[in-house]
């Protein structure tokens, strides 16, 4: 399923099967979860970096072929890959263990073709092992929503037993709350939909309300998932002194002007950009241990446009997963 131009529906097409190059593997895709970032790319909110492009960066499948100089994978291995398609390995950021900030980093379904397809070619050293605890469809929503949700929790500085706010309650927050509860955190959820407020409570939120509601106690940390600057300010308003808001969004509509009083007393606002392979491996291990339960609806690959429009309309509960 190919995006030719932002604002147009994806087009179904057949291509000759490509072969993996040096250091690459070809994956037969068995599941690819749909991320909000895919929607932002298709709608033009996120500027395209390559076009035409096959979107999709939560890919699970089996290794079909290995390219030259690949020793760590064999045909038939279960493999998955997320948003980070590659990094240079040589720059200051890569050397500091922050490959998520590498200026030469490449992204799946943005710089190179992704998983809205029957096959995908990925860098062998950026592919991940799918944990045995998960079948392919269950694992797919972990790869972006889960991994970046995990990095957001780390960036928020939330400590075990701390008071955490989650602003927005889509696929990523559904996973983040399970990690936070595993860490013994008290969780407060703000989200627009009453249905999601109720669902948050069934997943262990102590309290839930709308974006305009203030949680009953000041928060140690908050993670915002909505692509809205107003929601960031709402989260900032709910923080205790010294608390942090981590923004889990690649695209934000705007940052509204706000009173310095909201930031004073060493409150922090931080962004969360991508993830490192170390984050991904840590999340997949933790997900198997907890174990995290993903909720999703499945769509056939050719139904990718339906899945995207359901996500746009806020109709997807949990994640949408494409199954070729
Ligand atoms: Zn680098
Ligand atoms: Zn994503």
């Amino acid at each position: 399923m190919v995006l030719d131009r932002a604002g147009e529906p994806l087009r179904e097409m057949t291509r000759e099967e490509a072969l993996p190059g040096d250091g690459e593997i070809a994956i037969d895709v068995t599941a690819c979860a749909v991320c909000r970032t895919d929607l932002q790319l298709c709608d033009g909110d996120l500027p395209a970096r390559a076009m035409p492009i096959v979107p999709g960066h939560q890919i699970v499948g089996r290794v079909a072929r290995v390219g030259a100089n690949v020793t760590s994978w064999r045909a038939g291995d279960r493999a998955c890959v997320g948003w980070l398609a590659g990094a240079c390995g040589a720059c200051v950021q890569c050397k500091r263990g922050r490959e998520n900030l590498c200026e030469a980093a490449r992204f799946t379904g943005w710089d190179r073709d992704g998983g809205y397809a029957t096959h995908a070619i990925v860098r062998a050293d950026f592919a991940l092992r799918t944990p045995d605890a998960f079948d392919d469809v269950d694992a797919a929503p972990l790869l972006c929503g889960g991994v970046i949700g995990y990095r957001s929790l780390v960036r928020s500085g939330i400590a075990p037993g701390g008071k955490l706010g989650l602003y927005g309650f889509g696929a990523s927050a559904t996973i983040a709350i399970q990690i936070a509860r595993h860490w013994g955190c008290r969780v407060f959820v703000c989200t627009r939909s009453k249905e999601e407020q109720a669902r948050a409570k069934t997943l262990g939120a102590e309290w839930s309300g709308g974006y305009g509601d203030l949680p009953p106690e000041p928060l140690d940390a908050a993670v915002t998932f909505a692509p809205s600057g107003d929601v960031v300010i709402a989260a900032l308003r709910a923080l205790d002194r010294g608390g942090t808001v981590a923004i889990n969004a690649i695209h934000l509509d705007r940052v509204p002007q706000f009173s310095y009083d909201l930031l004073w007393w060493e409150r922090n606002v931080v962004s969360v950009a991508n993830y490192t392979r170390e984050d991904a491996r840590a999340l997949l291990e933790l997900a198997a241990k907890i174990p995290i339960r993903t909720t999703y609806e499945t769509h056939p690959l050719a139904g990718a446009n339906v899945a995207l429009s359901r996500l746009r309309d806020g109709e997807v509960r949990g994640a949408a997963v494409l199954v070729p």
Side-chain angles (χ1 to χ4, degrees):
M1 297 297 288
V2 175
L3 179 68
D4 293 308
R5 194 186 310 242
E8 288 180 5
L10 301 178
R11 181 169 56 90
E12 186 177 352
M13 68 172 292
T14 304
R15 284 181 182 166
E16 206 165 305
E17 194 181 332
L19 296 174
D22 194 355
E24 294 178 332
I25 54 176
I27 295 178
D28 281 340
V29 180
T30 52
C32 184
V34 176
C35 177
R36 185 159 292 278
T37 303
D38 304 340
L39 181 61
Q40 290 169 341
L41 175 67
C42 292
D43 287 349
D45 292 328
L46 178 69
R49 302 222 301 199
M51 205 69 100
I53 185 88
V54 178
H57 56 268
Q58 306 188 79
I59 308 172
V60 188
R62 298 281 185 291
V63 176
R65 297 170 201 270
V66 299
N69 299 309
V70 175
T71 53
S72 51
W73 294 97
R74 282 175 205 290
D77 285 351
R78 298 182 76 207
C80 55
V81 74
W83 175 238
L84 189 66
C88 80
C91 72
V92 169
Q93 301 293 0
C94 282
K95 283 190 172 152
R96 283 184 188 152
R98 302 197 301 204
E99 62 190 11
N100 61 309
L101 305 183
C102 174
E103 290 194 35
R106 290 291 173 264
F107 301 99
T108 313
W110 195 25
D111 293 297
R112 55 186 295 166
D113 284 336
Y116 289 16
T118 49
H119 302 84
I121 293 184
V122 306
R123 262 179 69 168
D125 51 349
F126 281 79
L128 303 157
R129 304 273 165 190
T130 311
D132 293 337
F134 296 100
D135 72 27
D136 292 359
V137 179
D138 283 306
L142 295 171
L143 291 170
C144 186
V147 173
I148 297 186
Y150 169 77
R151 188 174 177 89
S152 302
L153 290 176
V154 173
R155 291 275 292 153
S156 81
I158 189 68
K163 289 177 284 181
L164 174 73
L166 299 177
Y167 283 71
F169 205 69
S172 191
T174 301
I175 295 170
I177 192 173
Q178 296 177 61
I179 299 169
R181 294 293 298 137
H182 177 73
W183 288 343
C185 300
R186 296 171 59 195
V187 182
F188 304 82
V189 171
C190 291
T191 188
R192 190 175 295 131
S193 128
K194 294 272 180 213
E195 198 185 328
E196 284 181 354
Q197 290 172 19
R199 202 163 59 85
K201 284 202 173 154
T202 68
L203 284 169
E206 177 171 328
W207 172 94
S208 61
Y211 289 129
D213 299 329
L214 212 50
E217 295 179 45
L219 305 173
D220 299 314
V223 178
T224 65
F225 298 92
S228 152
D230 289 331
V231 170
V232 174
I233 303 306
L236 194 51
R237 210 177 286 282
L239 282 190
D240 202 352
R241 294 179 176 197
T244 297
V245 176
I247 305 171
N248 177 332
I250 190 170
H251 163 81
L252 210 58
D253 56 352
R254 70 200 171 101
V255 178
Q257 193 174 45
F258 61 91
S259 161
Y260 179 57
D261 293 345
L262 292 181
L263 197 58
W264 172 236
W265 296 115
E266 300 193 349
R267 294 181 180 93
N268 309 286
V269 177
V270 302
S271 65
V272 182
N274 316 314
Y275 64 84
T276 64
R277 282 171 287 178
E278 202 177 305
D279 292 327
R281 291 186 196 113
L283 178 275
L284 290 174
E285 194 177 310
L286 188 59
K289 185 175 160 206
I290 293 176
I292 288 177
R293 295 282 164 238
T294 51
T295 49
Y296 52 79
E297 57 184 43
T298 58
H299 295 265
L301 176 57
N305 289 309
V306 175
L308 286 167
S309 66
R310 283 180 57 77
L311 186 62
R312 188 185 292 112
D313 296 340
E315 288 169 357
V316 176
R317 295 290 159 259
V321 181
L322 303 180
V323 180

